[in-house]
Amino acid sequence: MIRAGIIGASGYSGMELTRLLAGHPQVSVGFVTSDRWGGQAVGAQLPLTGKVGALKYVSNGDGVSAAKDVDVVFLATPAETSHELAPKLLALGVRVVDLSGAFRLKDVAQYPKWYAYEHRHAELVAAASYGLPELFRAGLAQAKLVANPGCYATAAALSVAPLLKAKLVDPASVVISAASGVSGAGRKATEDFSFMEVDSDLRAYRVLKHQHTPEIDQTVSTYAAQAVRVVFTPHLLPMKRGILSTAVCRLSPGVTAEQVQAAFTQAYGAEPLIRLASSADAVRIASVVNTPLTQLGASCDDRTVVAAAALDNLLKGAASQAVQNVNLLFGRPETEGLV
Amino acid sequence: MIRAGIIGASGYSGMELTRLLAGHPQVSVGFVTSDRWGGQAVGAQLPLTGKVGALKYVSNGDGVSAAKDVDVVFLATPAETSHELAPKLLALGVRVVDLSGAFRLKDVAQYPKWYAYEHRHAELVAAASYGLPELFRAGLAQAKLVANPGCYATAAALSVAPLLKAKLVDPASVVISAASGVSGAGRKATEDFSFMEVDSDLRAYRVLKHQHTPEIDQTVSTYAAQAVRVVFTPHLLPMKRGILSTAVCRLSPGVTAEQVQAAFTQAYGAEPLIRLASSADAVRIASVVNTPLTQLGASCDDRTVVAAAALDNLLKGAASQAVQNVNLLFGRPETEGLV
Amino acid sequence: MIRAGIIGASGYSGMELTRLLAGHPQVSVGFVTSDRWGGQAVGAQLPLTGKVGALKYVSNGDGVSAAKDVDVVFLATPAETSHELAPKLLALGVRVVDLSGAFRLKDVAQYPKWYAYEHRHAELVAAASYGLPELFRAGLAQAKLVANPGCYATAAALSVAPLLKAKLVDPASVVISAASGVSGAGRKATEDFSFMEVDSDLRAYRVLKHQHTPEIDQTVSTYAAQAVRVVFTPHLLPMKRGILSTAVCRLSPGVTAEQVQAAFTQAYGAEPLIRLASSADAVRIASVVNTPLTQLGASCDDRTVVAAAALDNLLKGAASQAVQNVNLLFGRPETEGLV
Amino acid sequence: MIRAGIIGASGYSGMELTRLLAGHPQVSVGFVTSDRWGGQAVGAQLPLTGKVGALKYVSNGDGVSAAKDVDVVFLATPAETSHELAPKLLALGVRVVDLSGAFRLKDVAQYPKWYAYEHRHAELVAAASYGLPELFRAGLAQAKLVANPGCYATAAALSVAPLLKAKLVDPASVVISAASGVSGAGRKATEDFSFMEVDSDLRAYRVLKHQHTPEIDQTVSTYAAQAVRVVFTPHLLPMKRGILSTAVCRLSPGVTAEQVQAAFTQAYGAEPLIRLASSADAVRIASVVNTPLTQLGASCDDRTVVAAAALDNLLKGAASQAVQNVNLLFGRPETEGLV
């Protein structure tokens, strides 16, 4: 059994992760932390979680102490908190799957701009594995620290990476529009995320400033082995969960729709958690919400491809991807506990 | 008093138009047609509509007969119906404001591709005025036939036209993502638009095939006096009404954010029905729903501008724009009956 | 012109009231207060409000000072604030329409239980007129202080008052279930009213403890001249605005459905802001939202009547009812500015 | 392994049932029928359904033929269809769990009134077991035909049955208001259930005429061994799934809140799929949606108890309750495949 702990288990991603690990046949949850729910039983918040339901949430601080008795700790904490905690946990010899952005950007000089803090652990960033198995499965088995990808970054990167790698599209042309359910913002008690402000509305936010932008650039540039700088525009949707991303790229001269479909089939045809749709129109959040799946589809005309991706921001965009990663870390079948 | 008739008054746009005309101090509604509600009083469907509430819906056929007694007829009908009816009405000497796409595309050869029918009235298309006053106010006063713009086309064109005209952006780079509330699809009793299929979902549709695409191209090309071909991707939102459009354009070399703001201020600073926001982030559907307003805002980085537009698809995207147009046709203040 | 001021204009009811008064042909708004938006122009929050849009929000304190120059002040404030401010305003000789519960309950001993404070102005309560014109129009013309009814209380009382007055139902049997959109809770930045907590959910709240319960009892007891004590259960709906109330009453022996319909027709047949539906099934929030109307309908079987009411909690449940009241106070047509 | 077939697997309940049975460790699904999706693989509609995903939907007719090779057939069909099919299936020696109302009402004379057809199988009705295990577990093990309860009936009956059995409330006083997500209406392509008609609305329907009313009466009368006739008012909610029921009952003289709580604890304290909340306010749809649980809670004042129940109409109100029943039929642990 893999012994695991979760720090930050009362956030929306932390709750989903707790639920998934509670049902994982090869994971034994040693502790879960929540400053918010400290002392309460997990089962009071998450029904039907079996043995995990009987655990009590402990404080984040007690979680770090308890970490010495587990094999892996999941950090479902804000980036700055993860940045503090990961070194301590790794020093205990525990492996870490961090769901925040704290260790995703290889160029630590980017942190002040996109995350508003100075990064003090460049060596950990260098050693961290980016946990997007469908693009970078190799190496995850040996990782000590996994940077679990961002929700938007997962959707966007999966939708354009095969096109870029196969050189079917102009890398300077990638324009991604995406929209997320409200849970993507985390648990918030602010008027901005009140029902009155969100329902029956749509708005773009952090336009040209969203921190997943450099993550997308890094991911697809690495995967496709060419410099890519995307334009990324996120929107806030009046629904609880789910992301739809539609990427528009200029086709390279002469590229056909068949080549586009072939690139997706080649990249993902054997992936157990990816569903290829016949066109961009066929991709929708409702197909994947509450599942660990990503749905992908593309449509072309004579000069343009629109590649759409849908996933559940709390699952493939966070918790279920973390489970894929922990399975890989410990040599388990990648989809164990997920399907 | 302007004597007006409405054909197709039980569609969502037709209902809004009836409501607006009922409150217009200089319009006298002579007839309203609805095959669906024939014989019912308007007031049974639309409360608080005063004298208009006492009118009874008549059949579309009876509407054409009744048209000889009015000055203007609004066609809130599908494009093929408008294509049939407009010539008959114009032959009676009645002016026509058509809310469909039947007379919007100057190149009638495009109709089979985008509207799935052959256009038989090229001379009317040639004579029609495109009723987007903020871009093409001149000429509307003399028009016999007004092609009232599409909802997406209004939002998208308003957001990029000033940038293109001022040559601030690369005309080959315009990528528009937009999303609309369900009323944009019209009154539908199909499973696709059932609550179960739409709620908590987002999907793109008619990807690279939406009929507003050539309309946007034509509008901004004409306004900016240069050939523009945009990429346009519409999405279906889980809300009743409203459109948000976010257009991404490559800035021309050296263009600054100040120049971008100046272009919007110059184009729209004096427009009574346009609200300029400080950035793309500040633009949202909730600001304009149930109003005749369009909200516009732009954000820039070193190479890209994102220009957002929000409007109510049934008002500025249909009915209130039709009222602007009828005011111009008959020499009334453009916002009469709207503010 | 009636010179009016609004204290508490940034709450949802206060915003609607500002909008309505801005469009009222016989009201001149002298000041609007908001501690939240102090210094901003009204038009920045409420577009298309004409001259009122140019006013700037002042602090609540400055509102009281400015009150000496107006004829009437609307208090769109919490009950405890209204309880403080109304005496000061009345002392200036200004008439007051209070949208809170501060002066609704004639038995001031009830305030600690239902409103959690001691009432210190029993004489004002005694003098206040309960502003539900459809039930108590007489006397409003002379009122100095109007207690504008609660949103639920308006819906519930209108739906059962005629049945009780006509002695068609057992006064001990009245069970009312109602549900409100989120705006009924006021502007809240708490997690309880976040989108994540409210969307796709329904819950009852303040069960057997809601402060509108004694208000309903008082209203229908007074109107029907018999002691009535209802059971009232409110629920929170995942929508922005609107109330539906369904009241279940035991029919008195031998009472027929025709008598029930006749009671409603007699009570409300001539009311300009009430719409009688053919059955309880025909009553829905969508029929009345964004209007000053109340829709009422009843269905019977051999022993029971279910009487449904729908209204917009921010309009007939607050702001438009306040406009009805101010019209009556100043001898204007009751629906002026509303239809 | 229990060999099972599902007839009517493309309805919302049938889909949930398919999903649940696909994950049930002791059920082997032999066939699934859908006239709508005939020939398609289950996995194309329901991802992650393992071996069941490879099955192809067959026609309803072929389902009846295939039934001879299974132990139990689930009918997720309209009542009239179940009324036709159940006798044929039982004649094959197959056990039947019917999710419709076809065999729920013991008094077959009620069918024309509530279900609009004449019942021709009184003997099957007499033999059928009403499959609400928390109230009538005994006897289910031997049943050949299980009438799986209605969604509203499950919620309402569970909330008042213990109070009536313990004689804590007046059986003549029970007034139940309930509200359901749209999936309760089944898969509909009618304008009534379009997004435009349902979103941001609430309405009561089938007032005093809903077919679950006699089912609730029968259930609680049987369980409490006294004649009960409730008033039941259902409402349509703007959400996909979930039911909240709030029952109001007059307390018998002298009954205390403690007695009320004790009655619930005694009835359900050991039930694995019931969660007792501390009050009616604490019961909400969000607590139970997507789970097989029912949440129950009650609040009292001096004369009244309000008992609230929440459940997922497609699970405890249909599919998961059917799984409880099939587990009991075949001697499996009742919650197998569910928790």
Side-chain angles (χ1 to χ4, degrees):
Chain A
M1 294 289 273
I2 307 162
R3 296 168 305 162
I6 305 170
I7 296 183
S10 49
Y12 296 125
S13 295
M15 289 174 75
E16 290 297 323
L17 185 60
T18 307
R19 223 187 292 261
L20 287 175
L21 295 182
H24 193 296
Q26 292 296 323
V27 170
S28 159
V29 177
F31 66 89
V32 289
T33 85
S34 164
D35 287 342
R36 174 192 180 86
W37 291 332
Q40 289 188 41
V42 170
Q45 295 295 335
L46 296 171
L48 305 178
T49 40
K51 273 193 284 187
V52 172
L55 283 178
K56 288 191 172 154
Y57 293 102
V58 299
S59 70
N60 288 355
D62 287 350
V64 175
S65 314
K68 64 181 188 309
D69 300 322
V70 300
D71 303 307
V72 61
V73 170
F74 295 88
L75 293 175
T77 40
E80 282 200 70
T81 308
S82 291
H83 176 259
E84 296 297 318
L85 296 181
K88 299 178 186 172
L89 295 164
L90 291 164
L92 296 172
V94 177
R95 292 165 99 172
V96 172
V97 178
D98 176 32
L99 280 73
S100 84
F103 301 96
R104 291 181 197 149
L105 300 184
K106 291 298 178 189
D107 177 3
V108 293
Q110 303 253 35
Y111 276 87
K113 174 175 178 187
W114 298 101
Y115 284 92
Y117 69 91
E118 292 279 345
H119 208 294
R120 299 190 318 274
H121 304 294
E123 74 295 352
L124 294 185
V125 166
S129 288
Y130 188 70
L132 212 174
E134 286 82 1
L135 299 184
F136 307 108
R137 190 168 281 117
L140 279 164
Q142 281 70 46
K144 299 297 182 204
L145 170 59
V146 175
N148 209 62
C151 49
Y152 282 124
T154 300
L158 288 173
S159 72
V160 298
L163 301 174
L164 287 159
K165 186 164 193 180
K167 306 216 181 301
L168 303 182
V169 299
D170 175 358
S173 75
V174 183
V175 174
I176 300 164
S177 175
S180 172
V182 182
S183 59
R187 192 184 286 279
K188 291 275 173 65
T190 61
E191 195 182 326
D192 264 10
F193 296 95
S194 68
F195 186 87
M196 288 296 291
E197 292 297 311
V198 172
D199 187 55
S200 299
D201 194 21
L202 183 73
R203 56 182 195 254
Y205 64 97
R206 295 197 207 169
V207 174
L208 298 171
K209 293 179 182 166
H210 195 281
Q211 70 275 14
H212 289 184
T213 311
E215 184 181 340
I216 299 167
D217 287 345
Q218 170 182 292
T219 301
V220 297
S221 296
T222 304
Y223 182 78
Q226 58 185 312
V228 182
R229 184 178 165 204
V230 307
V231 180
F232 172 64
T233 311
H235 299 75
L236 181 70
L237 281 172
M239 65 180 71
K240 287 189 176 180
R241 54 203 282 176
I243 281 179
L244 184 77
S245 162
T246 45
V248 173
C249 313
R250 192 63 50 110
L251 290 169
S252 302
V255 170
T256 65
E258 289 67 32
Q259 289 174 279
V260 165
Q261 302 304 335
F264 279 103
T265 304
Q266 184 176 341
Y268 303 129
E271 285 295 338
L273 298 180
I274 289 190
R275 292 292 179 274
L276 295 179
S278 56
S279 69
D281 296 54
V283 176
R284 51 191 289 202
I285 286 176
S287 298
V288 294
V289 76
N290 294 320
T291 82
L293 301 173
T294 304
Q295 190 184 33
L296 295 167
S299 295
C300 300
D301 66 11
D302 59 301
R303 55 166 190 161
T304 303
V305 54
V306 178
L311 53 76
D312 187 318
N313 57 303
L314 297 179
L315 294 174
K316 182 61 179 175
S320 73
Q321 185 136 272
V323 173
Q324 284 182 265
N325 284 319
V326 83
N327 284 333
L328 292 169
L329 286 184
F330 292 92
R332 304 297 317 165
E334 185 176 323
T335 63
E336 192 172 57
L338 295 177
V339 299
Chain B
M1 295 291 274
I2 306 162
R3 296 168 305 161
I6 305 170
I7 295 184
S10 49
Y12 296 126
S13 296
M15 289 175 75
E16 290 296 323
L17 185 60
T18 307
R19 224 187 291 262
L20 288 175
L21 296 182
H24 193 296
Q26 291 296 325
V27 169
S28 158
V29 177
F31 66 88
V32 290
T33 85
S34 164
D35 286 342
R36 174 191 180 86
W37 291 333
Q40 289 188 42
V42 170
Q45 296 295 335
L46 296 171
L48 305 177
T49 39
K51 273 193 284 186
V52 171
L55 283 178
K56 288 192 173 152
Y57 293 102
V58 299
S59 70
N60 288 356
D62 287 349
V64 176
S65 313
K68 65 181 187 309
D69 300 322
V70 299
D71 302 308
V72 61
V73 170
F74 295 88
L75 293 175
T77 40
E80 282 200 70
T81 307
S82 291
H83 175 259
E84 295 297 319
L85 296 181
K88 298 178 187 173
L89 294 164
L90 291 163
L92 296 173
V94 176
R95 294 163 99 173
V96 171
V97 177
D98 176 32
L99 281 75
S100 86
F103 300 96
R104 291 182 196 149
L105 301 184
K106 291 297 178 189
D107 177 2
V108 295
Q110 302 252 36
Y111 275 87
K113 174 174 179 189
W114 298 102
Y115 284 92
Y117 69 91
E118 292 280 344
H119 209 294
R120 299 189 318 273
H121 304 295
E123 75 294 353
L124 294 184
V125 166
S129 289
Y130 188 69
L132 212 175
E134 287 82 0
L135 299 183
F136 306 107
R137 191 168 281 120
L140 279 163
Q142 280 70 48
K144 299 299 182 201
L145 170 60
V146 174
N148 208 61
C151 49
Y152 283 124
T154 299
L158 289 174
S159 73
V160 297
L163 301 173
L164 289 159
K165 186 165 193 180
K167 307 216 179 301
L168 303 182
V169 300
D170 175 357
S173 74
V174 184
V175 173
I176 299 163
S177 175
S180 172
V182 182
S183 59
R187 191 184 288 279
K188 292 274 174 64
T190 61
E191 195 182 327
D192 263 11
F193 296 96
S194 68
F195 186 87
M196 289 298 290
E197 292 297 311
V198 172
D199 187 56
S200 299
D201 194 21
L202 184 73
R203 55 182 196 256
Y205 63 98
R206 294 197 211 167
V207 174
L208 298 171
K209 292 179 182 165
H210 194 280
Q211 71 276 13
H212 288 184
T213 312
E215 185 182 339
I216 299 167
D217 287 346
Q218 170 182 294
T219 301
V220 297
S221 297
T222 304
Y223 182 77
Q226 57 186 310
V228 182
R229 184 179 166 202
V230 307
V231 180
F232 172 65
T233 310
H235 298 75
L236 182 69
L237 282 172
M239 64 181 74
K240 288 190 177 180
R241 53 202 284 175
I243 281 178
L244 185 77
S245 162
T246 46
V248 172
C249 314
R250 191 63 49 111
L251 290 169
S252 302
V255 170
T256 65
E258 289 68 32
Q259 289 174 279
V260 166
Q261 301 305 333
F264 279 102
T265 304
Q266 184 177 343
Y268 303 129
E271 286 294 340
L273 297 180
I274 289 191
R275 292 291 179 274
L276 295 179
S278 56
S279 70
D281 295 55
V283 176
R284 51 191 288 202
I285 286 176
S287 299
V288 293
V289 75
N290 293 321
T291 81
L293 301 173
T294 303
Q295 191 184 33
L296 294 169
S299 296
C300 300
D301 66 10
D302 59 301
R303 55 168 189 158
T304 303
V305 54
V306 178
L311 53 75
D312 186 318
N313 57 302
L314 297 179
L315 293 175
K316 181 63 180 173
S320 72
Q321 185 137 272
V323 173
Q324 285 181 263
N325 284 319
V326 82
N327 284 333
L328 291 169
L329 286 183
F330 292 92
R332 303 298 316 163
E334 186 176 323
T335 63
E336 193 172 57
L338 295 176
V339 300
Chain C
M1 295 290 274
I2 305 163
R3 295 168 305 160
I6 305 170
I7 295 183
S10 49
Y12 296 126
S13 296
M15 288 175 75
E16 290 296 323
L17 185 59
T18 307
R19 225 188 291 263
L20 288 175
L21 295 182
H24 193 296
Q26 292 295 323
V27 169
S28 159
V29 177
F31 66 88
V32 290
T33 86
S34 164
D35 287 343
R36 174 191 180 86
W37 291 333
Q40 289 188 41
V42 170
Q45 295 295 335
L46 297 170
L48 305 178
T49 40
K51 273 192 284 185
V52 171
L55 282 178
K56 287 190 174 157
Y57 293 103
V58 299
S59 70
N60 287 356
D62 287 349
V64 176
S65 313
K68 65 179 188 308
D69 299 323
V70 299
D71 302 308
V72 62
V73 170
F74 295 88
L75 293 174
T77 41
E80 282 200 72
T81 307
S82 291
H83 176 258
E84 296 297 319
L85 295 182
K88 297 177 186 173
L89 294 164
L90 292 163
L92 296 172
V94 176
R95 294 164 99 172
V96 171
V97 177
D98 176 32
L99 281 72
S100 86
F103 300 96
R104 292 182 196 149
L105 300 184
K106 291 299 178 188
D107 178 2
V108 293
Q110 302 253 35
Y111 276 87
K113 174 175 178 188
W114 298 101
Y115 284 91
Y117 69 91
E118 291 281 344
H119 209 293
R120 299 189 319 272
H121 305 294
E123 76 294 353
L124 294 184
V125 166
S129 289
Y130 188 70
L132 212 174
E134 287 82 1
L135 299 183
F136 306 108
R137 191 168 281 120
L140 279 165
Q142 280 71 47
K144 300 298 182 202
L145 171 59
V146 174
N148 208 61
C151 50
Y152 282 125
T154 300
L158 288 173
S159 73
V160 297
L163 301 174
L164 288 159
K165 185 164 193 181
K167 307 216 180 300
L168 303 182
V169 299
D170 175 358
S173 74
V174 184
V175 173
I176 299 163
S177 175
S180 172
V182 182
S183 58
R187 192 184 286 279
K188 292 275 174 64
T190 61
E191 194 180 328
D192 264 11
F193 296 96
S194 68
F195 187 87
M196 288 298 291
E197 292 297 311
V198 173
D199 187 55
S200 299
D201 193 21
L202 184 73
R203 55 183 196 254
Y205 64 99
R206 295 198 209 168
V207 174
L208 297 170
K209 292 179 182 165
H210 194 281
Q211 70 275 14
H212 288 185
T213 312
E215 185 182 339
I216 300 167
D217 288 346
Q218 171 182 292
T219 301
V220 297
S221 296
T222 304
Y223 182 78
Q226 57 186 312
V228 182
R229 184 180 166 201
V230 306
V231 180
F232 172 65
T233 310
H235 299 76
L236 181 69
L237 282 173
M239 65 180 74
K240 288 190 177 179
R241 52 203 284 175
I243 281 178
L244 185 77
S245 161
T246 46
V248 173
C249 315
R250 191 62 50 111
L251 290 169
S252 302
V255 170
T256 64
E258 289 68 31
Q259 289 174 279
V260 165
Q261 302 304 335
F264 279 103
T265 304
Q266 184 176 342
Y268 302 128
E271 286 294 339
L273 298 180
I274 289 190
R275 292 291 181 274
L276 296 178
S278 56
S279 70
D281 296 55
V283 176
R284 51 190 289 202
I285 286 175
S287 298
V288 294
V289 75
N290 292 320
T291 81
L293 301 173
T294 304
Q295 190 184 34
L296 294 168
S299 295
C300 300
D301 67 9
D302 59 301
R303 56 168 189 158
T304 303
V305 54
V306 177
L311 53 76
D312 186 318
N313 57 303
L314 297 179
L315 293 175
K316 181 62 179 174
S320 72
Q321 185 137 269
V323 173
Q324 285 182 263
N325 283 319
V326 82
N327 284 333
L328 291 169
L329 285 183
F330 291 91
R332 304 297 316 164
E334 186 175 325
T335 63
E336 192 172 56
L338 295 176
V339 299
Chain D
M1 295 292 274
I2 307 161
R3 295 167 305 161
I6 305 170
I7 295 184
S10 49
Y12 295 126
S13 295
M15 288 174 75
E16 289 296 323
L17 186 59
T18 307
R19 221 187 295 261
L20 288 174
L21 295 181
H24 193 296
Q26 292 296 323
V27 169
S28 158
V29 177
F31 66 89
V32 291
T33 85
S34 163
D35 287 342
R36 173 192 181 86
W37 291 333
Q40 289 188 42
V42 170
Q45 296 294 335
L46 297 171
L48 305 177
T49 39
K51 272 193 285 188
V52 172
L55 281 178
K56 289 193 173 151
Y57 293 102
V58 299
S59 70
N60 288 355
D62 287 349
V64 176
S65 314
K68 64 181 188 308
D69 299 321
V70 299
D71 303 307
V72 61
V73 169
F74 295 88
L75 293 174
T77 40
E80 282 201 70
T81 308
S82 291
H83 176 259
E84 296 297 318
L85 296 181
K88 299 178 186 171
L89 295 164
L90 291 163
L92 297 172
V94 176
R95 292 164 99 171
V96 172
V97 178
D98 176 33
L99 280 73
S100 85
F103 301 95
R104 293 182 196 147
L105 301 183
K106 291 297 178 190
D107 177 2
V108 294
Q110 302 252 37
Y111 276 87
K113 174 175 178 186
W114 298 102
Y115 285 92
Y117 68 92
E118 292 281 344
H119 209 294
R120 300 190 317 273
H121 304 294
E123 75 294 353
L124 293 184
V125 166
S129 288
Y130 189 71
L132 211 174
E134 287 81 1
L135 299 184
F136 306 107
R137 190 167 282 117
L140 280 164
Q142 281 70 47
K144 299 297 182 204
L145 170 60
V146 175
N148 209 61
C151 49
Y152 282 124
T154 299
L158 288 174
S159 72
V160 297
L163 301 174
L164 288 159
K165 186 165 194 179
K167 305 214 181 303
L168 302 182
V169 299
D170 174 359
S173 74
V174 183
V175 173
I176 299 162
S177 176
S180 172
V182 182
S183 58
R187 193 183 286 278
K188 290 277 173 64
T190 62
E191 194 181 327
D192 264 10
F193 296 96
S194 69
F195 186 86
M196 287 298 290
E197 293 296 311
V198 172
D199 186 56
S200 300
D201 194 20
L202 183 73
R203 55 182 196 255
Y205 63 98
R206 294 197 210 171
V207 174
L208 298 170
K209 293 179 181 165
H210 194 281
Q211 71 276 13
H212 289 184
T213 312
E215 185 181 341
I216 299 167
D217 286 346
Q218 170 183 294
T219 301
V220 298
S221 297
T222 305
Y223 182 77
Q226 57 185 312
V228 182
R229 184 180 165 202
V230 307
V231 181
F232 172 65
T233 311
H235 299 75
L236 182 69
L237 282 172
M239 65 180 72
K240 287 189 176 179
R241 52 203 283 176
I243 281 178
L244 184 79
S245 162
T246 46
V248 173
C249 313
R250 192 63 49 110
L251 290 169
S252 302
V255 169
T256 65
E258 289 67 32
Q259 289 174 279
V260 165
Q261 302 304 335
F264 279 103
T265 304
Q266 184 176 341
Y268 303 128
E271 286 295 338
L273 298 180
I274 289 191
R275 292 293 179 272
L276 295 178
S278 56
S279 70
D281 295 55
V283 176
R284 52 192 288 203
I285 286 175
S287 298
V288 294
V289 76
N290 293 321
T291 82
L293 301 173
T294 304
Q295 190 184 34
L296 294 168
S299 296
C300 300
D301 66 10
D302 59 300
R303 57 167 189 159
T304 303
V305 54
V306 178
L311 53 76
D312 187 318
N313 57 301
L314 297 179
L315 293 174
K316 181 62 179 174
S320 74
Q321 184 136 271
V323 173
Q324 284 182 265
N325 284 319
V326 83
N327 283 333
L328 291 169
L329 286 183
F330 291 92
R332 305 296 317 166
E334 186 177 323
T335 63
E336 192 171 58
L338 295 177
V339 300

